[in-house]
Amino acid sequence: AHSPSSTVAQPLPRGRRQTRVKCYSCGSLFSRETPQCAQFDPGNSQQVVTCNEGEACMLYTWNKSRTQIGAYRECFSTSILLGHPDYPITPMPTCSLSRTQQDTRSSIRACLCTEDFCNTVQEVILRKLWTKENSQDNTSDILPTRQEDDFQPAFITSQDSELDSKTKAQGSLNGLVGLPSVSCPVLTVTNADFADCNGDYSVTEERVSWAADRPVYAHADKDRFIFWNAGGLGWSIGKREYLTSGSHWHRSGLDSREPWQGEWEDGVKVQCRGED
């Protein structure tokens, strides 16, 4: 049997008229307005939607830990190229999970499919997929918990596919000027000893291309930034170059409005300065 990540996807014939497909919907990769979905339930009618014309069902999944799998299910426009330009996700009738990242260590797999309720895959199949790929690469029998340190939430419109990543990032931020409106402009980070990330961070005019509506905070005197990452990583801490790559040293796993609202992973503390 072929691994889904190594199967060559055959796109749908261009002449075929796409009808509005019904999909499972649980969470969202890009929209912060979408209600959080703590647990996927295919029997829940509130987790069923009819997509608009030009949209397909998306399943976007990653290995959070040895016991947890993260996933988003939603409608996704087929005019947007999902994944790295070298590893684009092509709409298929059924879900054929494929890698989206250049980094072979990444567990992120996604599919776009056009049959009703196609955006679901059994957890045991995902586990077998990761185990088989790691075995072929002579790595461990399952991906490590923090395997997404080099996560790059790459997505571009098909019209912009010829642009390099830096140009795309700059273009997506046009018109965003001035400090964003936040309830806490200065944050204090503690217990983030790895990579020397402790200290005070102030809100800036910086943006990340994949979350242009989220604030970015800069350290008072170091090349350290707090920014929001997609793919379930949440608020993250890294250096300036990570604002374009999505890499990070610490992460929250939170989808909170601001970085200090909630508990971070691995004991890292991010607090609003002046708050108890």
Side-chain angles (χ1 to χ4, degrees):
H2 292 284
S3 168
S5 64
S6 62
T7 301
V8 177
Q10 297 298 323
L12 294 174
R14 291 185 179 274
R16 182 180 300 178
R17 183 179 178 183
Q18 181 181 5
T19 58
R20 296 181 63 184
V21 63
K22 294 181 180 179
C23 303
Y24 292 117
S25 177
C26 184
S28 178
L29 181 59
F30 302 117
S31 175
R32 62 189 296 186
E33 281 76 31
T34 300
Q36 292 191 4
C37 182
Q39 172 130 17
F40 171 58
D41 179 6
N44 185 345
S45 61
Q46 294 185 341
Q47 295 185 17
V48 173
V49 297
T50 299
C51 300
N52 295 322
E53 291 283 351
E55 291 183 331
C57 301
M58 181 190 75
L59 172 61
Y60 189 99
T61 185
W62 67 99
N63 183 27
K64 295 176 69 174
S65 70
R66 292 182 179 273
T67 58
Q68 290 183 302
I69 291 177
Y72 292 121
R73 295 172 174 85
E74 60 183 316
C75 298
F76 192 87
S77 174
T78 55
S79 67
I80 296 176
L81 181 60
L82 178 65
H84 189 278
D86 291 339
Y87 300 97
I89 304 300
T90 304
M92 300 282 289
T94 58
C95 180
S96 178
L97 287 171
S98 302
R99 56 184 291 201
T100 67
Q101 310 295 307
Q102 285 183 309
D103 189 348
T104 57
R105 298 170 298 171
S106 173
S107 69
I108 298 173
R109 299 293 181 270
C111 74
L112 293 173
C113 51
T114 57
E115 292 185 353
D116 288 346
F117 308 117
C118 58
N119 57 335
T120 184
V121 173
Q122 294 181 3
E123 180 175 323
V124 64
I125 295 178
L126 290 171
R127 295 287 182 190
K128 287 181 178 179
L129 169 63
W130 290 324
T131 301
K132 181 175 182 179
E133 289 178 348
N134 287 339
S135 176
Q136 290 173 343
D137 293 337
N138 295 319
T139 55
S140 61
D141 62 342
I142 196 164
L143 295 177
T145 302
R146 298 180 67 86
Q147 80 287 346
E148 299 309 342
D149 283 359
D150 290 325
F151 171 78
Q152 181 183 356
F155 65 103
I156 58 177
T157 60
S158 56
Q159 295 93 330
D160 293 336
S161 59
E162 73 281 2
L163 301 178
D164 61 37
S165 58
K166 181 177 181 180
T167 302
K168 292 196 294 270
Q170 292 173 341
S172 65
L173 304 182
N174 285 343
L176 295 175
V177 180
L179 293 175
S181 176
V182 295
S183 60
C184 185
V186 182
L187 307 175
T188 298
V189 175
T190 56
N191 292 344
D193 299 328
F194 180 75
D196 194 21
C197 296
N198 295 324
D200 290 340
Y201 292 73
S202 298
V203 70
T204 71
E205 296 183 8
E206 301 270 0
R207 299 289 197 279
V208 291
S209 62
W210 55 87
D213 60 337
R214 305 268 187 160
V216 172
Y217 294 76
H219 195 281
D221 51 26
K222 302 174 188 174
D223 178 19
R224 299 291 182 268
F225 293 84
I226 300 175
F227 58 96
W228 190 83
N229 249 331
L233 300 176
W235 294 101
S236 304
I237 302 177
K239 56 185 177 180
R240 174 175 290 279
E241 69 179 73
Y242 293 173
L243 298 181
T244 55
S245 72
S247 300
H248 63 280
W249 289 311
H250 302 279
R251 66 188 184 195
S252 69
L254 302 172
D255 192 29
S256 56
R257 185 169 294 276
E258 296 183 22
W260 59 280
Q261 297 168 325
E263 295 186 3
W264 281 51
E265 295 182 5
D266 300 326
V268 173
K269 299 291 184 183
V270 178
Q271 298 173 303
C272 180
R273 199 171 73 177
E275 295 282 338
D276 294 332

